[in-house]
Structure formats: structure tokens, C-alpha cells
Amino acid sequence: IPGEEIISHSNIVRIKAKDKLCGVCEYTREIALAEQKRADTIHSFKEALGKKEFQIYFQPKISGKTQEIASAEVLVRWLREDGTLWFPDSFLPILEETGEIESLDYYVYNAAFQWLRRENGLPLLPLSLNVSPVHFRKIDTFTQRITQLLDHYQIPSKYLVFEITETTYIHNIDAVNQMIRFFHDRNIRISMDDFGSGYSSLNSLKDILFDEVKIDKHFLSAGLSEKGKIVLEEMFHLLKRTDKWIVCEGVETKEMVDFLIAEGCDELQGFYYYKPMEQKKFEELIA
Ligand code: C2E
Ligand code: CA
Ligand code: CA
């Protein structure tokens, strides 16, 4: 092994060792593979974006009232040159670190807006789009880019929802509120994603400007215990009384569906209904 590599490997485990109680970390095959993937992601991202290797997938959201498809969340996938499909969790954290997620988000918004502008006679459905935390460092750039896209595509505001995670909100309350006001000036709704997964205090609920709250999938992931049901019931009660639209994600079983509908959940999203799907499948579905 060349000298620089030994130094680089040592440096990687030196940082990892700090998180361990024993203070020792070995450079294993797993670490080597993860580092390789990281380098590969950083190295190939720009070209991949140019070659349109990123695709938008759609996951339908079902109305709690009518049980029909009411809208969809847009989720990005990386269809690599070698034919493998990469899920966001495997590359988004790296792009978040490098800041390149910024251009990926714009690419996704552009693709979603284009989809909303298509002229093939299929019904239009509102789309939910994820907003990465990096945009809150450059709000002016973000609002300018979104304004350009909105002006260009002329999408009616009722077809758009932007999702900002609870953790992002808690770390950037003023910046998020500023962004929400920008969207509200254009009648665009904002959803608080992954609600209940971080450290938001109940106190913050009284001030939040969000229109919709998306309850984190971990509330449902271990099935529904009696106490879990009580927590959800009381959360719904609170959210309804503060006029929030309630969405639940990670809905996987009939039991969850029955419970959530009985409790007045506005929209349901999860594998019980549909997994995220490519554009063509989604269009066939809504046709
Ligand atoms: P998220 O926004 O919380 O999206 C929901 C994730 O839950 C999706 O994972 C979806 O496939 C998964 N999911 C849906 N239904 C179920 C279910 O019933 N059970 C379980 N266990 N999981 C379910 P996905 O597509 O892998 O996306 C992961 C995360 O990556 C997203 O979490 C979101 O934070 C981020 N992400 C995806 N696309 C984009 C994007 O275009 N921009 C940004 N900034 N982030 C994105
Ligand atoms: Ca989301
Ligand atoms: Ca979520």
C-alpha cells in the first residue's frame, strides 16, 4: 500500500475511534467499501446529473375520507450507468455533506414541475417535494430559484406541498419561518416531515406556521400497541385543534389503516397501499 493511502486510512479511523468508548478503530473491509462508495458518489455525481441518471419516483398518498389517491410524494432514485438503482439513504447524506444536494433538489423540482405541466390528458395530482436542510443557509438563492421555476412552469399553487423535516425546523426556526412565509405568499402549503422523530417541544406547536404535519413512520414501525394508539390519538387531537392537516407515513397494515381512518387521519402513505414507483407506473395507476 502506498504511503499516502496508509495515512488516509489512518486518518479515517482516527476520526471514527473518537466515537468509540475504547478509543480504538480498525480499518476494516466495510470501512474500505463505504469509503469507496463515498468517493464514487462524489466523483460521479456531476456527470450523472448531466446524464439524467436521477429519476423521480412517486409514492401515492391516500385520502382518509374517500380512500382514493389524493396526492403523491416525489422521491429521488439514482439509476446508475451499470444498471443498479441507488436509494436516497445511500447517497443523500454524502451529497448533503458536500452541499451538492442543492443542485439535485433543483433537478428534482424541475422534473416534478415538468410532470405537472405535461399534456397527456391524465388527471393532475398535488405533489409533495422534499427540501434539504442545506437550502436554509442560502434562503435568497432558494427563493429566487423557486420563483424562477414557478414563473416558468406556471403551476397552480394547489398542486404543490414542500416538506421540511422537524429536525431542520428545530435547528433553523427563523430561517424556516422565513421560507414558509415566502411559500405562503404564493399560497403554497408546507408540511412538517418526520414529526415526532426529533426533539421538537410541544410548546413549539402553538407557533408553527406549517399547514400539514406528517407523523414520522417510526410511530407505526413496531406495530400498534395500546399505548402507541393513545399517543397517536392525543397527537391527532392536538393537531386537529391547531388546524393542521394530518398525514401518516409508513402505513403497512390493514389494522393501521382502520385505526388511522377512525381517528380522522387526512392522508395515508405507505407500503400497505403503494411503494414508490416510477413515473410510467404512476401514470398507469392514475389513468
Ligand atoms: P422521507 O421524506 O421520510 O420519505 C419517506 C421514506 O419512507 C421513503 O424512503 C419511502 O420509500 C419510505 N416509505 C414509504 N412507505 C413506507 C412504509 O410503509 N414503510 C417503510 N418502512 N418505509 C416507507 P426513500 O424513498 O428511501 O427516501 C428516504 C429519504 O430520502 C426520504 O425520507 C427523504 O428524507 C430523502 N429524500 C428522498 N428524495 C429526496 C429529494 O428529492 N430531495 C431531498 N432533499 N430528500 C429526499
Ligand atoms: Ca418526505
Ligand atoms: Ca418522512
Side-chain angles (χ1 to χ4, degrees), residues 73 75 130 163 193 214 249:
E73 177 171 10
L75 296 156
N130 290 287
E163 296 189 358
D193 199 359
K214 201 166 182 185
E249 63 179 0

Side-chain angles (χ1 to χ4, degrees), residues 29 41 73 77 82-83 150 177 222 231 247 263 269 283:
R29 206 180 133 65
T41 303
E73 177 171 10
R77 299 288 182 262
D82 61 8
L150 290 171
N177 283 338
V231 170
V247 181
E263 289 306 320
Q269 175 182 355
E283 291 182 347

